[in-house]
Amino acid sequence: MAADLPLSRRLDNRLRQLTFFRDFTLQEVRKLRASGTVQTYDGGDLLATEGTRKQRRVLYVVLRGELQYVKRVRAGRTVILMTLRPGDVGGFLTFLNEEPSPVSVRSVGRTTVFEIGRRELQSLGATEGPLAVKLFHALLGHTARRLETLLDRVAATSAWVLDLERHLRALPLLPGESQSP
């Protein structure tokens, strides 16, 4: 039966099933979708490159697949900071300011995202102000949850460092070394 629905209606329903869009009505989702685009990326494709200013300022919501946030930590070494899955939002760091991208964003396998650019959102805000505000409210909520997760990771890492320091202080000193106060 779902295959009988037009593609745009199936997409609208799919968007509404995602956590990010759960508080949006079907009519609001249709307006957002009309302002944005759906893009599909192959595995390894980059949506953003760390340190780059010249890229389109766009918010994206993962529909299918995964995106990884990758950060250089040392020459030739990178770390995956986080993985975005269906319903997760990305791109807001470069969307909201003019700074270079702080991370590279890489597609893991075939990944489909809903994208809306800064210009498109400004146009939407001019004609559908309350909807644009609702989108920013959802974005701020998502950002706050991500910040809470980051703060939990920082606290856990700090606790680990303090435990490591305590264990290192308990180690016997090597011959010829003195312990400083």
Side-chain angles (χ1 to χ4, degrees):
M1 189 64 157
D4 295 338
L5 290 174
L7 180 60
S8 61
R9 181 141 183 201
R10 287 195 315 255
L11 179 57
D12 293 341
N13 288 331
R14 173 72 181 124
L15 287 171
R16 287 201 67 227
Q17 291 172 0
L18 298 173
T19 304
F20 184 77
F21 292 108
R22 70 175 168 227
D23 293 330
F24 290 84
T25 67
L26 187 57
Q27 182 179 358
E28 289 170 331
V29 166
R30 284 183 184 137
K31 290 177 183 177
L32 287 172
R33 187 183 46 76
S35 295
T37 61
V38 175
Q39 298 289 335
T40 300
Y41 297 94
D42 291 324
D45 285 353
L46 292 175
L47 283 73
T49 305
E50 182 177 351
T52 310
R53 280 185 195 272
K54 293 183 178 181
Q55 56 193 12
R56 189 164 176 256
R57 306 297 177 169
V58 39
L59 289 174
Y60 43 86
V61 180
V62 178
L63 301 177
R64 285 191 182 85
E66 295 181 345
L67 299 175
Q68 292 177 331
Y69 276 31
V70 181
K71 179 84 175 154
R72 285 187 303 253
V73 291
R74 287 196 180 142
R77 303 257 343 234
T78 60
V79 66
I80 297 170
L81 297 177
M82 106 176 79
T83 300
L84 302 182
R85 294 182 173 84
D88 289 336
V89 181
F92 56 85
L93 292 174
T94 56
F95 184 82
L96 297 173
N97 66 45
E98 297 298 327
E99 297 299 314
S101 181
V103 295
S104 292
V105 181
R106 172 177 66 202
S107 176
V108 179
R110 195 156 174 84
T111 301
T112 303
V113 299
F114 168 75
E115 296 181 347
I116 187 165
R118 190 187 292 177
R119 280 182 244 114
E120 292 82 4
L121 187 57
Q122 288 171 341
S123 294
L124 181 70
T127 59
E128 299 285 341
L131 180 55
V133 169
K134 190 172 186 176
L135 181 68
F136 271 112
H137 187 265
L139 178 62
L140 288 173
H142 192 83
T143 304
R145 287 187 295 280
R146 193 174 290 164
L147 182 58
E148 287 173 10
T149 301
L150 175 64
L151 292 174
D152 288 345
R153 286 176 65 187
V154 168
T157 302
S158 297
W160 177 82
V161 168
L162 291 172
D163 283 344
L164 180 61
E165 179 185 40
R166 183 175 50 86
H167 290 295
L168 288 173
R169 289 185 186 276
L171 291 174
L173 296 175
L174 296 174
E177 293 182 11
S178 63
Q179 187 174 10
S180 52

